[in-house]
Amino acid sequence: MDAKYGREGEHWLNLGNIPELAEKGRHVVKVDGKQIALFQTEEGLFAINNRCPHEGYPLSEGTLNDGCTLACNWHGWSFNLKSGKAVQGRDPVNTYPIDHRDGDIWIDLTPPPPEEVAARAFVELDEALAEHDYERIARSLSRLEKAGVAFEEAARRVVRWSLPRFERGFGHAHAGLSDWIDLAGEDDELRLVAFLEALGHFSWDALFSLGLEPGGAVSPWDAAGFIADVEAMNSSAALAKVRGAFAAGLRFANIKPAYLDFIFSHYGGFGHQAIYALKLERLVDQLGPDIEETISLQLATYLCLSAREDLIPEFRSFSDYLKVEKGNVPVPGAEAFSGQSVRKTMATTAASLAHAEELFDSLLAANALNMLHFDLARQDVVEQPIAQNVGWLDFTHAITFAEAARSHALEEPKYWQSALIQMACFVGRNAKFVTPKDWAEWQVSDVSAFLAKEKARLFDMDAGEYIYGVHRLKMICAVEALLPVVSDKTRTLVLAALNRYLNSPMRYRHSARAAFQARQTVLREG
């Protein structure tokens, strides 16, 4: 069909006389690869995109419930033919102005301006996030992309959206977003998958959070006061100081020492504190300063609420080892740490603290050995106390923490002592869940091919809930970052450990165990 211009500023096309439309009340025309469904009803003549915005089935096969409402027969979504608005379902369908002129049918296919498409897509994204509608998040991102909006802009919006919705602040969704962006690089296909999975994770976590009151008090930044507030778990006071810092023109780099001083004064949060501080900085690099205050507030919230494991009996001597003189004993091999208790591992580590980077290498290897010796049957035990519950994530945290802690310690060497003692805690806490075994089958011969394969699998994985997928992502990224800076022996062990983790059975749900332990807990309540 030849396009003819009609009204000023509009692109009208003469479709000619269409007798089938008068006979059947509906007809499909194809223009420039686009299918347009025409409907002649008691309410008038209508034109809509023939593809249902849900899953793309032809709306021309739908059912007219009245003169102006069309239902898709595949899944029941229905639309107002005048406005395109979804009556049942979610996304609207595109509509087009249409006219009868001198016996012919004319249609205006002028596309809406990109800013209008983007505005509608952002509304759809907000709605999809609130419901964790994964497929709709994907469609919203695709529509934003079509309108020329970078995925990073959507991510900035979602990070800001999460501030009043994440009661625990910074979390795995943030850390995963950073790694997904890095991993996808400039590949358009991978970027859509990466941002979909990352923003879906934000949506999922928000469903299980009580949320927070927006805004809050502002007080002058005071590093010592901030640390005292976090120690006291006084989140309102700590957050007021963070807001004060940004109100005074400071950036995270200015207040970061206070965060890290607190983080490395404890063994807490199962290593996440150091990891999240590293990912925060990376997110600012990736998404810009617009989100910096938001995620700084969220990290402060997390620090106030995260576990203080160094205050429980097993790790209580941690603070003592932060004060000991750095021993100059030659660094033992990874095998020397195997099977040692937490206290024995910390003592062995303290004796060699003068050799920080060599000791890091040995402790990293020891944690990799633990992963290679993890007794997988422990995942399946039902009748046991909660303290004995263990799974792969108990082991992977040791590696991802090591990568983050090393980065912080290289920038500020005073953190080495705490970083190494914390690595020792990981070695010791997992020792009781391992059984020495041959691990030759997990050795990686072609490193590049192995990493390429495992990274590709991330973009089409089925790893259960987001928490499991994001740990696979974080482990691969952490290991890849560590490989160039460790010894050959440690590199071999870390790669084998990663290989075993990624390709071994993992329990995602423990219904029998959860039921047993719940009943035992309730019986003890009296």
Side-chain angles (χ1 to χ4, degrees):
M1 298 178 182
D2 295 327
K4 297 181 181 179
Y5 291 91
R7 300 167 186 166
E8 184 179 354
E10 296 174 333
H11 186 190
W12 286 83
L13 180 67
N14 186 354
L15 301 179
N17 184 17
I18 305 178
E20 295 89 350
L21 181 60
E23 295 169 9
K24 299 179 180 179
R26 62 185 68 189
H27 186 67
V28 176
V29 296
K30 296 180 181 180
V31 182
D32 298 331
K34 182 185 300 183
Q35 290 190 17
I36 311 297
L38 310 179
F39 293 90
Q40 182 69 64
T41 78
E42 297 173 355
E43 298 281 341
L45 179 62
F46 303 103
I48 64 171
N49 191 289
N50 191 39
R51 295 300 178 184
C52 179
H54 179 213
E55 291 187 357
Y57 290 102
L59 289 173
S60 58
E61 299 293 335
T63 299
L64 277 167
N65 294 326
D66 56 41
C68 199
T69 305
L70 177 75
C72 178
N73 286 331
W74 273 263
H75 300 102
W77 281 33
S78 59
F79 308 90
N80 182 295
L81 292 177
K82 289 181 180 178
S83 65
K85 182 178 179 180
V87 178
Q88 176 65 42
R90 294 295 182 266
D91 305 359
V93 66
N94 288 335
T95 62
Y96 308 93
I98 192 165
D99 260 349
H100 282 293
R101 298 183 191 174
D102 300 325
D104 289 344
I105 294 176
W106 288 69
I107 189 170
D108 180 5
L109 297 179
T110 305
E115 57 270 20
E116 181 181 315
V117 175
R120 192 172 79 176
F122 274 127
V123 170
E124 293 169 5
L125 177 61
D126 290 344
E127 294 173 353
L129 290 168
E131 298 178 342
H132 188 250
D133 189 334
Y134 192 79
E135 286 72 22
R136 195 178 185 201
I137 295 171
R139 295 194 298 272
S140 300
L141 288 173
S142 296
R143 290 177 182 130
L144 287 168
E145 180 183 36
K146 185 177 180 180
V149 178
F151 294 139
E152 283 80 1
E153 179 54 37
R156 284 189 284 271
R157 183 186 181 98
V158 172
V159 169
R160 292 190 293 268
W161 170 88
S162 73
L163 180 58
R165 292 174 172 83
F166 280 18
E167 61 183 311
R168 295 190 63 83
F170 205 102
H172 288 107
H174 298 79
L177 173 60
S178 175
D179 282 342
W180 278 121
I181 293 174
D182 279 339
L183 202 62
E186 300 300 319
D187 187 305
D188 288 339
E189 297 299 322
L190 296 184
R191 278 170 53 80
L192 177 56
V193 177
F195 280 91
L196 168 61
E197 186 70 6
L199 302 192
H201 195 163
F202 273 86
S203 171
W204 181 257
D205 284 359
L207 293 179
F208 301 97
S209 181
L210 296 176
L212 301 170
E213 289 295 324
V218 178
S219 61
W221 171 252
D222 167 21
F226 171 79
I227 294 173
D229 292 336
V230 177
E231 289 281 3
M233 300 185 177
N234 187 345
S235 58
S236 60
L239 297 185
K241 291 179 175 62
V242 176
R243 293 189 194 97
F246 281 90
L250 300 181
R251 302 282 302 277
F252 180 71
N254 304 114
I255 62 178
K256 171 183 169 182
Y259 282 71
L260 293 184
D261 282 352
F262 170 79
I263 288 169
F264 285 101
S265 67
H266 291 281
Y267 177 55
F270 214 51
H272 288 103
Q273 297 174 345
I275 297 168
Y276 291 167
L278 184 67
K279 299 304 181 184
L280 185 155
E281 292 185 280
R282 184 66 187 128
L283 278 174
V284 173
D285 290 340
Q286 293 164 323
L287 300 179
D290 287 354
I291 63 161
E292 193 166 1
E293 181 175 358
T294 295
I295 56 180
S296 297
L297 289 166
Q298 290 180 310
L299 181 56
T301 299
Y302 176 76
L303 295 182
C304 288
L305 300 177
S306 60
R308 308 292 169 87
E309 293 156 288
D310 54 329
L311 301 182
I312 63 178
E314 187 176 11
F315 306 104
R316 197 166 287 160
S317 57
F318 172 82
S319 59
D320 296 329
Y321 281 104
L322 294 185
K323 304 168 189 173
V324 300
E325 292 293 325
K326 297 177 182 178
N328 200 30
V329 173
V331 174
E335 294 76 9
F337 292 99
S338 296
Q340 292 187 2
S341 67
V342 169
R343 292 187 181 186
K344 179 64 175 174
T345 307
M346 285 196 283
T348 303
T349 298
S352 302
L353 282 170
H355 311 286
E357 295 201 48
E358 185 183 352
L359 183 57
F360 172 87
D361 191 90
S362 186
L363 286 166
L364 179 63
N367 276 301
L369 272 175
N370 274 354
M371 291 185 67
L372 290 165
H373 294 159
F374 171 37
D375 184 355
L376 296 182
R378 298 299 300 261
Q379 298 182 105
D380 301 320
V381 180
V382 172
E383 297 185 3
Q384 65 179 15
I386 292 173
Q388 295 297 309
N389 292 355
V390 66
W392 270 115
L393 304 191
D394 295 274
F395 290 82
T396 63
H397 286 156
I399 308 299
T400 51
F401 167 79
E403 187 253 334
R406 180 181 182 276
S407 178
H408 293 308
L410 286 176
E411 185 175 324
E412 178 48 77
K414 72 177 181 179
Y415 298 133
W416 267 122
Q417 186 157 342
S418 175
L420 295 167
I421 298 297
Q422 290 191 57
M423 290 178 70
C425 288
F426 277 108
V427 174
R429 80 188 299 166
N430 289 326
K432 52 184 172 290
F433 304 117
V434 304
T435 301
K437 55 179 65 68
D438 181 71
W439 50 272
E441 65 177 303
W442 300 111
Q443 289 195 61
V444 175
S445 55
D446 188 333
V447 178
S448 297
F450 167 72
L451 290 175
K453 173 187 173 185
E454 295 300 342
K455 285 191 282 188
R457 287 174 63 192
L458 289 173
F459 289 93
D460 192 24
M461 64 178 165
D462 180 15
E465 296 177 7
Y466 288 101
I467 189 69
Y468 299 107
V470 81
H471 276 86
R472 296 171 74 89
L473 167 71
K474 287 164 57 183
M475 264 293 288
I476 291 172
C477 291
V479 167
E480 189 168 33
L482 287 166
L483 292 182
V485 299
V486 297
S487 67
D488 290 344
K489 177 182 178 181
T490 298
R491 185 180 302 111
T492 298
L493 286 167
V494 170
L495 281 165
L498 176 64
N499 191 16
R500 184 176 188 233
Y501 160 60
L502 295 176
N503 295 286
S504 293
M506 175 183 286
R507 290 295 302 261
Y508 298 116
R509 194 181 306 278
H510 301 76
S511 54
R513 178 193 289 176
F516 171 81
Q517 292 176 345
R519 179 168 287 160
Q520 295 302 308
T521 297
V522 171
L523 288 173
R524 288 193 295 271
E525 289 175 351

